[in-house]
Amino acid sequence: MKYVFVVQGEGRGHFTQALAMKDMLVGQGHKVLAVLVGKSSTRELPVFFTNKIGVPVYTFDSPNFLPTPKGRQPNILKSALKNILSFPRFVRSIFFIKKKIDQYSPDFVINFYELMTGLTYFFTSPQSRMICIGHQYMFLHKKFIFPKSSFLSLFFLRFFTRLTCLGAIKKLALSFYDAGDDIENGIRVVPPLLRQEVFKARISSGDYIHGYMLNNGYVEDLQSWHRQHPKEKLHFFWDKRNVSDLLCESPNFCLHKIDDTLFLKYMSGCKAYATTAGFESVCEAMFMGKPILMVPTHIEQTCNAFDAQRIGAGVVADYFNLNILLDFLPQYKYDTSFKRWVESSELLFLRHITDVAADDVFKYSKPAFV
């Protein structure tokens, strides 16, 4: 079988998922021909991804959130206005994706939650069949429990998610736990997609807190906290442009430019992990048995954090108050059932990905306004 990946370029998780999926498919004798990435003016394409993926990578314009001037939570109004004004570029993206799919003629397109792919299938109907993968498809599962939030926020989250999978023959929902398939809504529940480096990591409990910030403005929280706790060791990662690979605010507080090998090294040796609640790194921390502080920046991450907290993986906060994390450490209990669930991933994915014809195929239908 031949595949083309389309990856949403917002955050680190979709890139690591694509790398894990490529290794899994190639290991079974399949081919990944190319990767298309929805690019953002506010983020760089991670070097670790382009170095490791080993196939041509093409970028196209895709809608994205704009951070506030302080680089914290996204500015919804400005983001919406910018994306509306960028509509002509997005139309070009649809035809670009269609052109690349036709050029490579894969058996399947695997879409990692990229909106423009769903719109491409809706408006241009490529011949290659599409499989969608993402933890966000759990939001369409009838048993998923949502946090208390505004009706409109949840409505638009679910609506956006439906748009990403227009025309998909299968929707694979990455989940912290086995929630069972939702046949009625066409959702197959699968374990998180973690790379082999995670499985091979040498896990220990060091004397520092590891972390990742999706938006760079949160560094002010950390600076403020560290001034009050200068003896606490912090190693945080960010993707800020035009900064050195290592920036140390003090001997005990260092900021690293995102490097995935180094990121996993610090993850495997930390005593706890603090993050803006991206699904992938939360899963890596859970697999390694690290207590987690989650600081959501938008509604999707709020759902991630609520779901992880519900199963005892960590605690949630409005900002990087590491006291909350340190207070949680004595209460934390490592749940080995998550590790077993993740270790079943290859068997389940290969059944769904490589044997689509023998499985129930969910036909395309226009999104319901739910």
Side-chain angles (χ1 to χ4, degrees):
M1 293 287 185
K2 297 179 296 181
Y3 298 83
V4 163
F5 291 174
V6 189
V7 180
Q8 186 197 60
E10 191 81 359
R12 165 181 170 272
H14 299 109
F15 294 109
T16 61
Q17 290 165 12
L19 288 170
M21 179 56 66
K22 188 215 169 189
D23 289 343
M24 195 179 294
L25 291 172
V26 170
Q28 294 293 316
H30 303 281
K31 291 184 178 179
V32 177
L33 305 176
V35 177
L36 314 180
V37 179
K39 71 177 182 180
S40 161
S41 60
T42 60
R43 309 205 185 278
E44 295 179 331
L45 193 62
V47 174
F48 77 82
F49 180 75
T50 54
N51 286 345
K52 292 181 179 180
I53 194 66
V55 298
V57 177
Y58 306 95
T59 61
F60 58 88
D61 291 317
S62 180
N64 61 90
F65 286 124
L66 294 176
T68 61
K70 291 187 176 182
R72 293 173 180 255
Q73 295 186 347
N75 189 312
I76 302 299
L77 183 60
K78 286 186 177 181
S79 296
L81 180 59
K82 177 183 180 295
N83 288 326
I84 290 171
L85 294 175
S86 300
F87 180 74
R89 290 192 289 118
F90 298 151
V91 172
R92 289 195 292 272
S93 294
I94 289 173
F95 287 102
F96 175 81
I97 295 169
K98 175 65 161 59
K99 179 181 177 181
K100 287 299 178 185
I101 292 174
D102 289 346
Q103 174 187 338
Y104 282 99
S105 190
D107 298 295
F108 294 98
V109 170
I110 297 183
N111 179 25
F112 293 90
Y113 202 64
E114 171 51 53
L115 171 65
M116 302 310 298
T117 321
L119 296 181
T120 298
Y121 272 77
F122 183 81
F123 288 111
T124 70
S125 302
Q127 292 299 306
S128 300
R129 291 178 289 177
M130 178 172 66
I131 298 168
C132 288
I133 298 176
H135 69 273
Q136 297 90 343
Y137 299 114
M138 277 300 295
F139 304 152
L140 305 180
H141 195 292
K142 62 185 178 183
K143 292 184 179 179
F144 187 79
I145 300 173
F146 288 95
K148 290 183 179 179
S149 188
S150 73
F151 171 81
L152 280 178
S153 294
L154 294 178
F155 169 84
F156 283 114
L157 174 63
R158 287 163 59 87
F159 180 68
F160 182 92
T161 298
R162 291 183 186 278
L163 292 180
T164 67
C165 58
L166 289 170
I169 60 170
K170 224 173 210 187
K171 300 184 281 287
L172 302 183
L174 307 176
S175 174
F176 294 130
Y177 46 86
D178 185 359
D181 295 339
D182 181 356
I183 303 300
E184 180 182 345
N185 290 306
I187 305 297
R188 301 291 191 179
V189 178
V190 290
L193 262 175
L194 302 185
R195 293 161 302 127
Q196 286 302 311
E197 291 91 333
V198 177
F199 295 100
K200 296 175 181 177
R202 298 181 63 180
I203 302 168
S204 61
S205 184
D207 61 352
Y208 62 90
I209 296 175
H210 173 44
Y212 172 70
M213 296 176 291
L214 175 63
N215 294 329
N216 302 322
Y218 285 105
V219 72
E220 295 175 8
D221 294 344
L222 295 170
Q223 290 169 334
S224 176
W225 187 88
H226 189 66
R227 282 193 292 270
Q228 300 175 47
H229 306 83
K231 293 183 179 180
E232 195 69 50
K233 296 180 182 179
L234 308 180
H235 287 279
F236 272 70
F237 285 72
W238 60 353
D239 59 359
K240 187 174 183 178
R241 291 172 176 260
N242 303 318
V243 295
S244 60
D245 291 346
L246 177 63
L247 177 63
C248 288
E249 301 272 327
S250 75
N252 285 342
F253 179 21
C254 291
L255 294 164
H256 305 262
K257 198 163 186 179
I258 191 67
D259 173 296
D260 218 49
T261 300
L262 194 62
F263 181 89
L264 287 181
K265 178 182 176 182
Y266 276 102
M267 176 74 85
S268 64
C270 70
K271 67 179 178 182
Y273 177 60
T275 176
T276 39
F279 179 82
E280 193 70 11
S281 70
V282 169
C283 289
E284 291 169 348
M286 289 173 64
F287 186 84
M288 296 183 186
K290 307 297 183 180
I292 312 166
L293 172 70
M294 294 164 283
V295 184
T297 65
H298 50 69
I299 182 61
E300 177 192 316
Q301 291 184 345
T302 299
C303 294
N304 293 343
F306 178 77
D307 206 26
Q309 183 180 46
R310 209 170 52 83
I311 59 174
V315 287
V316 181
D318 294 328
Y319 65 100
F320 279 92
N321 180 357
L322 300 183
N323 289 334
I324 297 174
L325 178 58
L326 293 174
D327 290 343
F328 174 68
L329 296 188
Q331 308 168 37
Y332 175 72
K333 294 182 180 179
Y334 180 43
D335 184 359
T336 57
S337 64
F338 177 78
K339 190 172 187 290
R340 292 193 299 272
W341 171 234
V342 170
E343 288 172 343
S344 70
S345 62
E346 184 164 350
L347 178 65
L348 291 174
F349 269 103
L350 291 176
R351 178 169 67 85
H352 286 303
I353 294 290
T354 65
D355 195 24
V356 174
D359 204 351
D360 296 333
V361 174
F362 300 106
K363 299 298 183 181
Y364 155 74
S365 61
K366 291 188 177 181
F369 288 80
V370 178

